[in-house]
Amino acid sequence: MPPSPRGDEGTSRPPLLEIVIPAYNEERRLPGGLLQLCAKLARMPFPTAVIVVDNNSTDRTAEIVETWPHGPVPVRLVRCDIPGKGAAVRAGLLATSAPFTGFCDADMATDLDAVDVAFGLLLSGERVVIGSRGHRGSLVENRHSKIRELGAFGFRALAGVLVPGVSDTQCGFKFFDGVLAREAASVLRTPGFAFDVELLARCVEDGSEVQEIPVRWHDVPGSRFSPARHTFGIVLELGRIWLRLRAQPRAAAHPAWEPPLDPVGYP
Ligand SMILES: Nc1nc2c(ncn2[C@@H]2O[C@H](COP(=O)(O)OP(=O)(O)O)[C@@H](O)[C@H]2O)c(=O)[nH]1
Ligand SMILES: [Mg+2]
């Protein structure tokens, strides 16, 4: 299939829902993930679009997106030079313009049936709808190591201080009112894996409630997250988020991206 210009497929109507996929060295998992997501979105009765954000991957990630075949769901590439999932999601959300937006992981670890639930809630007026493995209705198939489980427990305890009442800040499946997502992303400064906490905290600061929904979630091999390499950086990120939320309430937050001097733990 020849390379196709992005954004001209399917429909000329602007998308009602845009979904961001952060992707770093995902040549193995991205094609299957994109296929699943595009098939799901193509069945929605309104225009949708997908944005993949690449951080200078050293594999074929960008090429896969640039040569993605024409279809009813446009798929386009956004490049982000700042390393980290948080930086990538921020760039992706800021590249959206749809009334509703969201992001999910390249591995599609969260079953996409939850898109219908999330979108229905957004339509009914919710502004932040997130997949939650802590929801009692969720089915979670987890193969994480005991060490990662222990780390996740500690993380939840710390994150609970920053966004009280949210049982799972880290599921890579979050949907938003588009305007709110772009506003929250514009003040987001956490480049790494803890970015979800800051993003949610900014939404809560705005007066929005976070609605957690049940998900079917299965661990997909190939995670980039390594407890040994990333734990220290994540704890530091949480500390910085805590400081920023206190020192720089959203109204006063600088809209420009200011990466921390030491973006610990990345790549
Ligand atoms: N663009 C970009 N995406 C990233 C980066 N780190 C992780 N991701 C993406 O974030 C998503 C979740 O990552 P994954 O490795 O599955 O982590 P886990 O599910 O938390 O174990 C995947 O789509 C990754 O490609 C990064 O530094 N840059
Ligand atoms: Mg994953």
Side-chain angles (χ1 to χ4, degrees), residues 8-11 38-39 41-44 46-49 69-75:
D8 59 348
E9 299 93 334
T11 174
C38 290
L41 294 180
R43 292 195 295 273
M44 309 290 260
F46 50 81
T48 57
H70 285 241
V73 180
V75 176

Side-chain angles (χ1 to χ4, degrees), residues 22 55 80 82-93 185 188-196 237 257 266:
N55 279 126
C80 172
I82 302 165
K85 182 179 178 185
V89 170
R90 177 183 190 269
L93 291 177
L188 179 67
R189 284 185 55 204
T190 306
F193 278 105
F195 79 96
D196 308 64
E237 281 192 336
W257 173 268
Y266 293 91

Side-chain angles (χ1 to χ4, degrees), residues 118 128-132 166-171 173-176 200 210-215:
V128 184
V129 183
I130 66 171
S132 171
V166 177
S167 68
D168 180 12
T169 55
Q170 295 314 107
C171 185
F173 187 88
K174 295 186 170 63
F175 288 80
F176 306 87
L200 292 177
V210 177
Q211 180 78 40
E212 291 187 83
I213 59 170
V215 287

Side-chain angles (χ1 to χ4, degrees), residues 13 35 54 70 75 93 97 114 150 250 262:
R13 288 183 297 155
L35 269 179
D54 176 39
H70 285 241
V75 176
L93 291 177
S97 55
L150 192 66
R250 183 164 167 201
D262 175 21

Side-chain angles (χ1 to χ4, degrees), residues 26 29 105 107 109 144 148 217-220 222-224:
E26 289 284 5
R29 303 193 299 177
D105 292 345
D107 56 17
H144 288 160
R148 183 160 172 178
W217 189 90
H218 70 289
D219 182 43
V220 180
S223 168
R224 290 200 64 235

Side-chain angles (χ1 to χ4, degrees), residues 97-172:
S97 55
F100 303 106
T101 182
F103 62 86
C104 63
D105 292 345
D107 56 17
M108 301 298 147
T110 303
D111 189 282
L112 290 173
D113 282 351
V115 173
D116 300 320
V117 181
F119 188 71
L121 285 167
L122 290 175
L123 279 184
S124 73
E126 295 290 344
R127 304 186 78 208
V128 184
V129 183
I130 66 171
S132 171
R133 293 159 296 183
H135 194 289
R136 44 198 295 248
S138 290
L139 286 174
V140 177
E141 181 204 309
N142 205 342
R143 287 190 295 261
H144 288 160
S145 67
K146 286 278 173 270
I147 293 184
R148 183 160 172 178
E149 285 298 302
L150 192 66
F153 180 80
F155 184 95
R156 278 196 294 276
L158 293 174
V161 175
L162 299 169
V163 271
V166 177
S167 68
D168 180 12
T169 55
Q170 295 314 107
C171 185

